[in-house]
Amino acid sequence: MDIVKEVLEKQAKESAKYKSIEVIKHEEVKIDCGRLMISDPNSFTEELKENTETYIQNLTRDNVQLLVNSIWQLPTERLDEHIVVKLPKPTFALPRARKLPVPKPLTKWEQFAKAKGIKKRTKDKKVWDEELGKWVPTYGYQKFKADRDKNWVLEVPKNIDPMTDMFQKKKDLKNERVAKNELARMKNIARAQKVDVPRVGFVSEDSATAKELHIASTIAKHSTASVGKFQESLPKEKNARGIGVRELIPGAATKRKRPLDNKTERTEQIETVQKILNKRPKIDVEKAVQIQKREERIERENKPAEPKKKKGSHPKQVKKFGKKPKSGIGRKGNRKPAGRKRR
Amino acid sequence: MSLMRIQKPKTRKGKVALLEREPKVIENIKNVLILEGRKVSVTVKELLKDICTFKKPNCKTLSRNNDITPFEDQNPLEILAKKSDCHLFIFGSHSKKRPDNIVMGRVYDDQILDMIEFGVKQYKALKDFKNEKIDVNCKPCLVFNGDQWSKSEELRRIKSLFVDMFHVEDVESIRLQGIEHVISFTLTEDLTIMIRSYKILLKKSGLQTPRIELTEIGPSIDFSIRRTKIASKDLYKLAHKKPAELKVTKKKNVSRDALGNVNARVHIDKQVINKLQLRKMKGLKKTAEEKKTARQLKKAASKEN
């Protein structure tokens, strides 16, 4: 027993050397270890006004002690000579800085590829060129140089002017492709942002083909208030036709629907049939009541009037027949109602 | 969405910079924009400087005076915040009507979410405390004292704003010795916010958990609340929306034991033993006659129906 006492005494002495780490609070404090945050809902004592600075410091010390106590309970790790504690996820929620990310809208090509199940094939960054005998980049940096080395001479076809600069022509074609791609990009942006873009028009007059001019003239003809109904037409003149032309002409029917596939057509037909078969007569209660009333009234009026019975017990309450006499109307009493009863 | 701009970024660096400003699932640290109004007093200037030292890598300071009155027209402030990619701001000004004025606020989706105006009642700068300071960019502990903090919606927002402003960054783990700074926010009965900052000293306690002692390192600020502009409940809720990717969905019937093994319960349909295809053998094959009778039986059955 002596040994136990001794040990206990020793420990008590040891602990007396240090200050306690225990803190007592009336109301429970909220600790968020993930955010290293503690909220103390206990109200202050009078000491705050007298000795503000020391009071706040002591209060904060107690709260930090509580926070540290709970942090020291968390699982620790050793990470190159430092003891690291793993913090839980913070519970105190903070607002975001930006909206939630939304998926990028698909481009027209991407939509098409998705519908058709076309997958993107990755090209190699460099390919072996037999002619040059070296690896040549497929795109980007140094591609231009390799191309110049390979196609250092170009043949002029027989059917065109022999003085044409084929290099310039090649350059122009490339520029045109770039411009086309840029236009497609713009259209994709417009589609993603739901902006209306005019579909009519061509770049310049000299680049318009006969077909384009025909479309333009047809559109112009139909662009009157009466959608071209009273416009004179040349003999044998016809409206422009082609893919997507119909939609451009004002007044023409909007896009024709594609023929449905078997399955959807079937379901749609069944739906319409079922809709018709499932129809129930609608009952307009108000109207029904009106009709009923009218019928009753007609029946009543057609019947010969019965002499009214006198009630013996309440002779005074017997109603006088007929309506209350109105001023300005000569006739009294047995007046047949004229016309419809107005309500 | 930066690639959906009309003007394409010309350099890779520019593209990366634009992508950095796009909505993300896990967001960057919010930067603080520190700026001054038409006129600033010495106190406010010192205060802004001290806050800047605490926020150091995550803050941007504008050196010129700005002709902005946030509560009258918040547009220029929004533009500045967007331009400098900051989602928190501290605006200091000084006028006869509102001396030593500080406006703190935060931005959500390029719009000011909430904005609180404080008056500096008392201020003691960082340099007035002549003692050892803390390391830069260490995550402070935040202590909120007082029962007033949850009294009204406005005060709750102020608390949230303070946490947003001073919590630095969400971290997964922290060095135990790295817990060395505490900022305490004390809200008194007369709605004065007392902000004090202390250095934590870890002392021996005879146990594993250390005993905490504090020394004040400054700054010490007393704020009174002036004007406020807080977001509507809907917007505030929207700002707190978590992306679906981060939401933890609990998997049914799957658990992990202490050793990290996955335990799961799998449900299987009842086995149909009668129709189970076993090894095909010639001897078990039906003869032509058997097949014929089976066919006839089937025919008869269908006729009856």
Side-chain angles (χ1 to χ4, degrees):
Chain A
M1 285 306 280
D2 279 352
I3 301 165
V4 174
K5 231 179 192 178
E6 222 170 81
V7 168
L8 280 174
E9 249 174 43
K10 205 177 177 186
Q11 204 176 6
K13 252 186 197 171
E14 197 112 297
S15 59
K17 256 202 309 198
Y18 305 115
K19 283 177 185 169
S20 160
I21 59 160
E22 270 173 54
V23 180
I24 299 154
K25 292 271 174 189
H26 288 295
E27 266 182 81
E28 210 177 325
V29 291
K30 255 191 207 165
I31 298 173
D32 185 351
C33 285
R35 207 137 259 170
L36 297 186
M37 186 183 143
I38 180 167
S39 324
D40 179 10
N42 292 293
S43 48
F44 307 120
T45 54
E46 280 300 303
E47 212 190 317
L48 178 69
K49 277 170 196 167
E50 294 159 14
N51 215 339
T52 320
E53 291 306 315
T54 46
Y55 180 79
I56 291 176
Q57 184 160 351
N58 287 333
L59 187 65
T60 311
R61 194 218 75 82
D62 287 354
N63 286 329
V64 174
Q65 183 73 64
L66 282 172
L67 181 66
V68 163
N69 288 354
S70 61
I71 287 170
W72 250 255
Q73 301 300 321
L74 295 169
T76 52
E77 252 178 13
R78 212 177 170 81
L79 224 141
D80 25 273
E81 293 182 21
H82 294 300
I83 297 167
V84 166
V85 67
K86 273 203 160 180
L87 294 178
K89 284 209 165 160
T91 49
F92 190 87
L94 289 174
R96 285 175 64 84
R98 282 181 239 274
K99 276 181 181 172
L100 291 178
V102 283
K104 205 176 130 194
L106 295 178
T107 62
K108 185 105 179 176
W109 163 251
E110 279 167 347
Q111 272 173 16
F112 179 75
K114 204 179 165 193
K116 292 276 178 188
I118 300 167
K119 270 177 195 153
K120 206 173 181 176
R121 263 178 293 167
T122 46
K123 279 183 195 164
D124 288 336
K125 210 172 176 190
K126 278 186 174 178
V127 284
W128 178 257
D129 197 306
E130 292 280 330
E131 225 172 284
L132 292 174
K134 62 176 179 185
W135 290 95
V136 165
T138 39
Y139 57 86
Y141 183 60
Q142 298 280 339
K143 150 103 202 268
F144 164 74
K145 248 186 192 172
D147 198 42
R148 196 182 54 189
D149 289 350
K150 200 178 169 186
N151 300 317
W152 58 274
V153 62
L154 289 174
E155 201 181 333
V156 184
K158 273 182 186 168
N159 56 351
I160 61 167
D161 180 21
M163 297 311 286
T164 40
D165 185 355
M166 289 311 284
F167 289 100
Q168 187 57 43
K169 210 170 179 187
K170 201 178 161 192
K171 220 188 223 173
D172 289 347
L173 276 172
K174 161 109 188 179
N175 283 346
E176 214 165 280
R177 282 199 304 274
V178 170
K180 193 190 161 200
N181 184 259
E182 184 63 14
L183 191 69
R185 194 176 73 89
M186 289 297 155
K187 274 185 176 174
N188 281 324
I189 292 170
R191 198 178 305 113
Q193 290 169 351
K194 286 171 185 162
V195 181
D196 278 339
V197 182
R199 289 176 58 193
V200 206
F202 29 80
V203 187
S204 67
E205 271 171 16
D206 41 68
S207 73
T209 60
K211 205 178 170 188
E212 279 173 331
L213 285 173
H214 186 35
I215 293 168
S217 76
T218 315
I219 292 164
K221 216 175 121 186
H222 284 79
S223 300
T224 61
S226 45
V227 282
K229 201 179 175 186
F230 304 107
Q231 296 298 303
E232 278 177 21
S233 59
L234 296 167
K236 285 185 183 175
E237 196 191 334
K238 278 177 184 171
N239 283 348
R241 289 169 69 188
I243 297 164
V245 175
R246 225 177 136 77
E247 288 97 77
L248 299 178
I249 300 167
T254 47
K255 207 172 188 177
R256 256 183 274 161
K257 273 181 189 167
R258 246 190 228 170
L260 296 165
D261 64 310
N262 238 347
K263 213 174 169 187
T264 45
E265 191 175 359
R266 205 179 129 88
T267 48
E268 271 182 21
Q269 298 274 25
I270 287 170
E271 256 175 39
T272 34
V273 169
Q274 233 137 30
K275 227 185 218 172
I276 293 161
L277 290 177
N278 286 344
K279 260 186 185 172
R280 297 248 172 280
K282 272 184 193 168
I283 298 171
D284 190 346
V285 179
E286 233 171 79
K287 209 174 176 186
V289 169
Q290 271 182 16
I291 290 166
Q292 173 93 11
K293 271 186 180 174
R294 202 179 65 198
E295 277 172 0
E296 275 176 11
R297 202 186 66 219
I298 290 164
E299 215 173 286
R300 231 187 297 130
E301 278 163 10
N302 288 345
K303 265 186 193 173
E306 281 176 29
K308 278 195 175 171
K309 284 174 190 172
K310 273 186 183 177
K311 280 177 187 171
S313 55
H314 305 288
K316 274 185 186 175
Q317 283 183 4
V318 171
K319 266 189 181 175
K320 286 170 192 170
F321 61 86
K323 274 185 180 174
K324 200 178 174 187
K326 279 175 186 168
S327 66
I329 299 168
R331 285 184 294 157
K332 278 181 190 174
N334 284 330
R335 225 178 94 214
K336 270 189 182 175
R340 185 166 65 86
K341 194 175 183 183
R342 280 167 226 280
R343 287 167 203 277
Chain B
M1 243 16 87
S2 75
L3 305 178
M4 293 303 279
R5 288 168 21 129
I6 304 268
Q7 218 167 18
K8 246 182 172 176
K10 274 182 189 156
T11 58
R12 189 177 170 76
K13 207 174 165 188
K15 188 178 157 184
V16 169
L18 281 174
L19 283 172
E20 199 60 16
R21 287 174 175 225
E22 236 149 69
K24 290 178 187 169
V25 175
I26 297 165
E27 294 191 303
N28 303 345
I29 307 170
K30 285 182 183 177
N31 285 342
V32 186
L33 181 70
I34 295 176
L35 69 166
E36 293 167 2
R38 275 183 225 120
K39 208 170 77 180
V40 271
S41 59
V42 181
T43 330
V44 169
K45 216 164 197 170
E46 290 261 292
L47 201 156
L48 293 181
K49 217 167 100 187
D50 285 354
I51 289 174
C52 185
T53 53
F54 273 126
K55 297 291 303 180
K56 209 62 188 259
N58 307 321
C59 80
K60 271 171 195 171
T61 324
L62 302 187
S63 54
R64 291 196 185 189
N65 288 34
N66 300 284
D67 187 7
I68 298 173
T69 42
F71 278 87
E72 271 78 70
D73 184 15
Q74 58 189 34
N75 216 19
L77 200 53
E78 280 169 3
I79 290 166
L80 280 176
K82 190 184 175 185
K83 211 170 161 187
S84 49
D85 194 24
C86 292
H87 291 88
L88 293 162
F89 63 86
I90 302 176
F91 174 87
S93 65
H94 180 80
S95 67
K96 198 172 171 188
K97 195 174 179 185
R98 296 191 180 82
D100 299 332
N101 210 33
I102 293 280
V103 180
M104 280 192 196
R106 53 185 160 185
V107 176
Y108 166 70
D109 188 27
D110 301 333
Q111 276 176 30
I112 284 174
L113 189 72
D114 32 44
M115 189 159 60
I116 320 286
E117 196 173 50
F118 300 108
V120 182
K121 273 184 173 175
Q122 177 268 119
Y123 183 70
K124 213 174 160 194
L126 199 62
K127 64 175 186 198
D128 296 338
F129 293 87
K130 298 267 187 295
N131 48 18
E132 204 185 338
K133 301 289 189 269
I134 47 149
D135 292 345
V136 274
N137 202 25
C138 91
K139 190 173 168 69
C141 301
L142 304 173
V143 178
F144 288 87
N145 299 322
D147 52 350
Q148 295 274 336
W149 282 113
S150 53
K151 277 280 154 65
S152 72
E153 187 60 33
E154 254 171 43
L155 290 168
R156 254 172 273 152
R157 295 281 173 91
I158 291 174
K159 183 180 171 184
S160 169
L161 180 64
F162 279 141
V163 175
D164 218 350
M165 192 73 81
F166 293 104
H167 84 114
V168 178
E169 172 182 18
D170 286 344
V171 286
E172 277 182 5
S173 55
I174 192 166
R175 201 161 53 90
L176 281 178
Q177 301 300 317
I179 303 170
E180 55 175 339
H181 184 209
V182 55
I183 306 174
S184 92
F185 302 89
T186 312
L187 186 61
T188 57
E189 295 288 315
D190 59 340
L191 294 183
T192 309
I193 302 167
M194 298 179 181
I195 302 175
R196 302 283 181 272
S197 129
Y198 306 96
K199 185 182 175 163
I200 299 178
L201 305 168
L202 304 172
K203 293 275 161 78
K204 271 183 191 166
S205 70
L207 296 163
Q208 205 184 12
T209 316
R211 155 105 188 161
I212 300 298
E213 293 295 341
L214 302 178
T215 47
E216 191 162 5
I217 53 166
S220 113
I221 315 163
D222 281 8
F223 274 150
S224 63
I225 301 164
R226 280 179 185 158
R227 287 177 291 178
T228 56
K229 190 188 164 289
I230 59 173
S232 67
K233 258 188 179 164
D234 295 340
L235 185 66
Y236 195 65
K237 207 177 161 189
L238 188 73
H240 278 81
K241 208 173 176 189
K242 270 187 187 160
E245 291 96 321
L246 292 185
K247 274 177 195 161
V248 189
T249 48
K250 211 201 158 199
K251 266 191 185 172
K252 230 177 154 186
N253 298 335
V254 177
S255 62
R256 262 172 199 282
D257 63 8
L259 294 170
N261 299 325
V262 181
N263 294 326
R265 188 184 298 160
V266 183
H267 296 277
I268 298 173
D269 283 348
K270 209 176 182 182
Q271 273 192 347
V272 186
I273 303 163
N274 306 344
K275 286 183 181 175
L276 205 65
Q277 180 63 57
L278 297 174
R279 200 175 153 201
K280 287 174 182 174
M281 280 185 287
K282 256 193 178 174
L284 292 174
K285 245 185 183 176
K286 278 177 185 171
T287 57
E289 264 181 35
E290 273 176 340
K291 273 185 191 172
K292 206 177 178 185
T293 48
R295 226 182 297 144
Q296 277 169 352
L297 275 173
K298 207 179 176 184
K299 230 180 194 178
S302 65
K303 259 186 190 176
E304 272 176 29
N305 286 341

